[in-house]
Each structure stands twice: as C-alpha cells, then as structure tokens.
Amino acid sequence: MNADELDGEIRRALTEIGDAAGIAPRFDQLRIDELGKSSRQLRPRRHRRLTLMTATVVVIGAGLWALAQVAQPDDALVSTAPITPAPATAADIGTEPPSVVADPSLPTQSTVPATWTDSTLQPATSMSPHESPIAPLAIGDSIMLGAAFALEELGLVVEAEETQTFEDVLRLTGALKQSGRLGDVVVIGLGMTGIPDAAAVEQIMANLDEVPNVFFLTFAGDRPWLTAYNELVRTLAGRHQNVKVIDWATKAGDCTGDCFAADGLHLVAEGREYYARIVMEAIAARSAD
Amino acid sequence: MSLTDEEVYAKYADELLRFAATLVGPSGAEDLLSSSVLKAMTSPGWDAVTAHRAYLYRAMVNEARQLNRATTRRLAREARAVGPEEFAPFGLRTEVLAAIGELSVQQRAVIFMTYWLEYSIEEVADSLGLSQRTTERRLESARTTLRGALL
C-alpha cells in the first residue's frame, strides 16, 4: 500500500466510523437545562438514550473495538481507579482561548466545592482484588492538567483536574489508601485555588504516610497567595521525611521556547514537556539517593 | 454577539460526534459527546471562552483520555459475552474498527485532525497542546499502525 492509498484508506475509515455514530443528540437531550448555570459545580450526568435494540447492536459493535484496545500500550499508563473526567482548561486549548484562566477571585479553597463527589469515590469497592498500586501517580490542578499527556508519556498516571483542591486530594488519597492503591511515588501540584487549610494538608500527609516518595510542587505565577502557598509547601519537607519539594516557582523561569499561555500560568507546548521533565528529574534524583 | 450554549452546541455537535466516534468508537460516541460538552459548559471558565470549537475539541480529548481505560475494560467484558462470531457492527468493516482501535486516544485525535479536519501539523499541535515534533511522531506512528491494520 503506497502513501496515497494509505491516506485514502484512513479517510475512508474515518468516514465509516463517523457515519456509524449516527446523529448527534439535541441540546436539550444533554440535560444541560437540569444543570443550568446556577448548578455549575454539579457533576454532569451521564446521558444515555439508546433503545434496547440499538443498545444490542452497540454491544456487538463495541466488542471488536474493545478487543483491539485491550493490548494498547497507552492504556497501561491510565489509572484503573474510577476517574472523574477532566475538563479542558486554558492550557489545554493551546493558543486559541487564552482568555480562559482559573478564577483569581478564589482566595481559599474553602470557597471551592469539592470536585470528587461521593459517588466518584468508589475505587475501594469497584476495583478487583488483583489491581495493583498506582506508581508513580501525579495529582494536580489545571497547571498539571496541561502537562498530562507529557507526564503520561514519561510513565506517570495523572489525576489532574481544573480547580482541584487539597480537599479533593484528601478524598482521593484517602480512597486510594483505603484500597491499597497508593504506590511508591505521589506527585502533588496544586496552588491555583489558593491557600489550603493546614489541617487538610496534614490529613493528606497522614494518607500518604506509607508512600516513601511524596513530591510537592511549588506554585509559579502572579497570585496573591504565591508566597504563603510556597512557604507552606516548603515547610512540609521539613516536617515529613518522605516529602521532597519540586521548586516549580524557581524552575519555571528557565523554560525556553513557547512555555506559557497568556496568563503566564498555564502551560503550552514546550512548557508542558518542560514541566514533565522537571517532575521526572526530581523522581529520578530521589530514586538515585 | 456571542452565541448561546445551545447555539454553540448546534454549530459543532455533528463534527464533535464524529470526532467522538474516532476517539472511543461509535458505541461510546454519544456518551462522550454529552459528557464532554456538559463538562465544558458547566466549567467555571466557560463564560470566558471565545474559541468554543477548540475548547470543545480539547475537552473531548481530555474526557476520552480519562475514560479510555474504564471504557476498554467494560467493552472487553461485553465482547467476551457476545462472542466474536457475531460482530457485524453498524455496517462497518471490522478491520476499520480494529485498526483505529489499535491507536491511542492521542493518535486518534491526531489522525482525525489531520485527515478529517485537514489541519496542518502546526494546527494539530496547537489544538492538542503538543509540540510539532511530538505531533509528527504521533502521526507517523499512527500511520504505521494503520498501514498494517488496514492492509
């Protein structure tokens, strides 16, 4: 098959798959009215409007797709714990919507509702017994979310979400600890939503007390809580032997090329790879100790 | 004048559904469309978004990436229950599903944007937040995989 023939086959395949998906549901079938602007923090409900007959066809069709994916290498990097889908952020849209930034009016995390709802905290009960600890695991907010692909390329499992807070991380680490899925390395990169409650931070550290390598990234960017946040992170290393600080606040300025979105915080192309590299270098350095 | 959420959705729903089908297969496309659009439109930053199309594409890739593992395991169970001899999905050639299914989510996104949207490498890289070098690698590796699978 020459290049032109291959291109033709690929276009044909995309046409077939797209046509097979049928017609997009109407907007009101997305149940957006139920959520509404006043219910922004609610989790979207999964939407299904398949009839029994079409569902049967779907099951059959899905099978081949699934079989083809079972051995897919990239999947091995993805957490098997239930994961709350991550939204796009400014950093995730590349250069097109730089106007989208995290809300700087969020002074503390107490104002931000938890994004891990009770219904999503089911890893302990939904996982099969053979599922092994996740290592290394990276947990973060929209900054890290921008580098998610790059981190995964380097072998990390990434649990990053826009406006993720320490309270979210507390719930997540608690669930993972309970299910025995915390591994040897956990990386935490937060700071977009303000100063965390000190008690929540200590509770997180209690959840991570058996994790030998916990990395906290400092925060880099023009936010009022920058100094206080980074001071808090740095003091963690003094209080907990298993904590190592990755000083993103210092290292971010060394990134060369197209590193940051217009807000100066979120990562774009070279910045994403640089961020991932900094994280991996810290993990590798710790391993070498 | 800015578009309402409904107008934004109406404008891009069909192409997003097609993109979703490429990312997770026809069976999961509608769910992926719904969940990613709802998630994007209820996110705190949505009101400030001006490039809705790019935002929604990116939201869908993120959603598909996060859902991929769970979806794969669920569908694998369904496949075992049904049995391979019964595959006759959607009038699709089975090798097409199998071929696209061999790609990672990111590779599928690159392939779709390159061949369906006819984006340049630079445009694909911008849309997915990758470097151009990484994008080129993804495209080439996807083409290599598809060459073998579609033969």
Side-chain angles (χ1 to χ4, degrees):
Chain A
M1 183 185 291
N2 63 36
D4 287 342
E5 288 170 340
L6 175 62
D7 290 349
E9 280 299 313
I10 292 173
R11 289 193 173 90
R12 186 178 166 199
L14 292 174
T15 301
E16 288 186 28
I17 288 177
D19 289 348
I23 300 170
R26 296 192 314 270
F27 185 69
D28 59 353
Q29 291 175 313
L30 298 179
R31 299 187 180 184
I32 194 74
D33 290 340
E34 274 184 47
L35 294 170
K37 294 294 185 183
S38 62
S39 303
R40 284 184 175 281
Q41 300 301 334
L42 292 176
R43 283 285 169 209
R45 298 179 186 178
R46 286 181 63 77
H47 169 69
R48 293 184 182 279
R49 63 180 183 87
L50 297 175
T51 65
L52 182 60
M53 182 175 295
T54 54
T56 303
V57 175
V58 162
V59 168
I60 296 170
L64 184 60
W65 181 270
L67 285 176
Q69 296 189 68
V70 164
Q72 184 179 304
D74 284 15
D75 287 346
L77 304 179
V78 182
S79 167
T80 54
I83 293 175
T84 304
T89 68
D92 291 315
I93 323 294
T95 56
E96 289 208 58
S99 59
V100 185
V101 297
D103 187 357
S105 66
L106 297 172
T108 70
Q109 293 184 354
S110 62
T111 62
V112 182
T115 53
W116 278 75
T117 62
D118 291 342
S119 63
T120 63
L121 283 173
Q122 302 297 330
T125 56
S126 62
M127 288 184 301
S128 59
H130 67 274
E131 288 180 312
S132 55
I134 304 167
L137 169 66
I139 305 170
D141 54 24
S142 57
I143 305 294
M144 182 184 287
L145 183 59
F149 277 138
L151 288 166
E152 289 182 350
E153 293 259 322
L154 297 176
L156 281 87
V157 172
V158 180
E159 266 294 352
E161 185 161 353
E162 189 179 13
T163 70
Q164 182 139 258
T165 69
F166 273 83
E167 291 172 355
D168 300 331
V169 175
L170 175 59
R171 296 182 187 201
L172 173 58
T173 54
L176 291 175
K177 180 178 184 179
Q178 185 182 11
S179 59
R181 301 212 61 211
L182 287 170
D184 292 337
V185 176
V186 173
V187 180
I188 297 177
L190 297 171
M192 282 300 294
T193 55
I195 304 294
D197 179 75
V201 176
E202 288 307 317
Q203 286 179 287
I204 290 171
M205 290 313 305
N207 287 339
L208 300 177
D209 61 352
E210 294 179 3
V211 177
N213 301 295
V214 179
F215 296 87
F216 274 88
L217 285 108
T218 57
F219 181 74
D222 183 18
R223 287 292 183 270
W225 55 82
L226 170 70
T227 302
Y229 180 87
N230 288 342
E231 181 61 25
L232 183 149
V233 168
R234 291 186 178 107
T235 59
L236 282 176
R239 291 204 305 272
H240 300 276
Q241 286 190 328
N242 58 339
V243 172
K244 172 83 173 175
V245 174
I246 301 175
D247 201 351
W248 178 242
T250 300
K251 296 179 184 295
D254 295 333
C255 182
T256 57
D258 190 14
C259 297
F260 298 98
D263 62 9
L265 300 170
H266 291 93
L267 304 166
V268 294
E270 277 81 9
R272 299 166 195 259
E273 295 179 1
Y274 177 74
Y275 180 101
R277 192 165 65 248
I278 292 297
V279 169
M280 282 308 295
E281 285 175 357
I283 295 173
R286 183 73 171 229
S287 300
D289 287 345
Chain B
M1 193 174 105
S2 61
L3 300 176
T4 66
D5 288 355
E6 185 166 3
E7 289 169 336
V8 169
Y9 177 77
K11 189 173 181 180
Y12 302 121
D14 289 340
E15 64 177 281
L16 286 169
L17 182 67
R18 187 173 286 276
F19 185 46
T22 303
L23 294 182
V24 298
S27 66
E30 189 175 307
D31 275 355
L32 177 60
L33 173 69
S34 294
S35 59
S36 59
V37 167
L38 284 169
K39 191 69 178 288
M41 290 185 172
T42 55
S43 69
W46 175 251
D47 285 344
V49 172
T50 54
H52 295 117
R53 181 168 181 257
Y55 194 102
L56 291 170
Y57 266 93
R58 195 57 203 257
M60 186 171 285
V61 173
N62 283 337
E63 186 93 349
R65 183 176 59 80
Q66 298 278 22
L67 293 173
N68 193 39
R69 178 70 174 182
T71 302
T72 297
R73 293 195 304 165
R74 175 174 56 81
L75 298 185
R77 286 196 299 272
E78 293 170 349
R80 285 195 295 271
V82 172
E85 71 282 359
E86 296 181 55
F87 290 133
F90 315 109
L92 269 172
R93 288 176 297 150
T94 53
E95 62 266 33
V96 169
L97 271 179
I100 299 295
E102 286 186 22
L103 305 178
S104 69
V105 167
Q106 197 176 80
Q107 285 176 321
R108 293 173 206 166
V110 170
I111 284 289
F112 183 88
M113 290 180 173
T114 300
Y115 285 94
W116 189 263
L117 300 180
E118 298 188 336
Y119 280 4
S120 66
I121 289 292
E122 184 177 4
E123 288 171 323
V124 175
D126 281 348
S127 296
L128 295 176
L130 304 171
S131 68
Q132 290 189 37
R133 187 185 58 180
T134 299
T135 304
E136 287 170 345
R137 285 205 307 264
R138 293 291 168 279
L139 177 59
E140 197 48 47
S141 61
R143 281 172 52 84
T144 300
T145 300
L146 292 175
R147 183 189 296 276
L150 290 172
L151 277 176

